[in-house]
Amino acid sequence: MPDDKSIRPAAYLAVGPRVGLRPFRYEDADEFTARARESRDLHRPWLFPPDDADAYAAYARRLIEAPDRLGHLVCERDGGAIAGFVNVNNIVLGAFRNGALGYGAFAHAAGRGLMGEALGLVVRHAFGPLGLHRLEANIQPGNAASIALVRRAGFRKEGFSPAMLLVDGEWRDHERWALTADEPAARGAGPGR
């Protein structure tokens, strides 16, 4: 776990009042996997972040090395502890300029508004320097906390896709939520901005 008292803004992609976003690093394995193990009850059955060193190494490698993904660790400004993650996956440029979000809070940080702040930072980065036009979040219908998070950030529900994604060995239904760069929430008018 981090031992310094506050995060150093220069090491972060973006910094808000309570969180900073920084890239995944291989050396984050111990803290990330410990947080994932502590958060199993919060995450299941929606999310299965890596909870051992080998799984983390493979996960981090995809986020660090793949050109179509950006992984962001959400770190608390007070102490630098990892509070969660927000990834932009399946980035497609050209005429589409789209990315798909994947995210999760760790149990010690859940319900504190940190992920809302982090999502706002990611949205601004995606629609600013990254140059995307659209972000989507595909969420299992029963995941009320995740739906509330994107709704507060200004995402709109676009539809429902049966058996859309393979999660924990089963094809699961998902609601499709999206936000485009030209919407007020994308320009900073939405909550958490």
Side-chain angles (χ1 to χ4, degrees), residues 145-161:
S146 186
I147 291 170
L149 175 68
V150 297
R151 184 178 278 139
R152 282 191 306 272
F155 284 63
R156 70 185 173 294
K157 185 177 176 182
E158 290 188 326
F160 176 82
S161 295

Side-chain angles (χ1 to χ4, degrees), residues 48-130:
F48 297 81
D51 61 5
D52 66 53
D54 290 339
Y56 178 83
Y59 179 73
R61 185 172 25 262
R62 288 190 304 270
L63 292 167
I64 293 168
E65 296 177 13
D68 65 340
R69 299 172 190 242
L70 283 178
H72 305 95
L73 289 171
V74 178
C75 299
E76 295 184 61
R77 287 198 66 169
D78 183 17
I82 298 173
F85 55 94
V86 182
N87 304 326
V88 184
N89 302 302
N90 306 322
I91 298 170
V92 178
L93 298 177
F96 195 27
R97 293 190 293 151
N98 183 72
L101 295 174
Y103 50 83
F106 290 126
H108 76 282
R112 295 174 41 207
L114 302 177
M115 292 303 291
E117 183 179 320
L119 183 56
L121 294 172
V122 169
V123 165
R124 281 198 301 277
H125 180 72
F127 292 144
L130 193 54

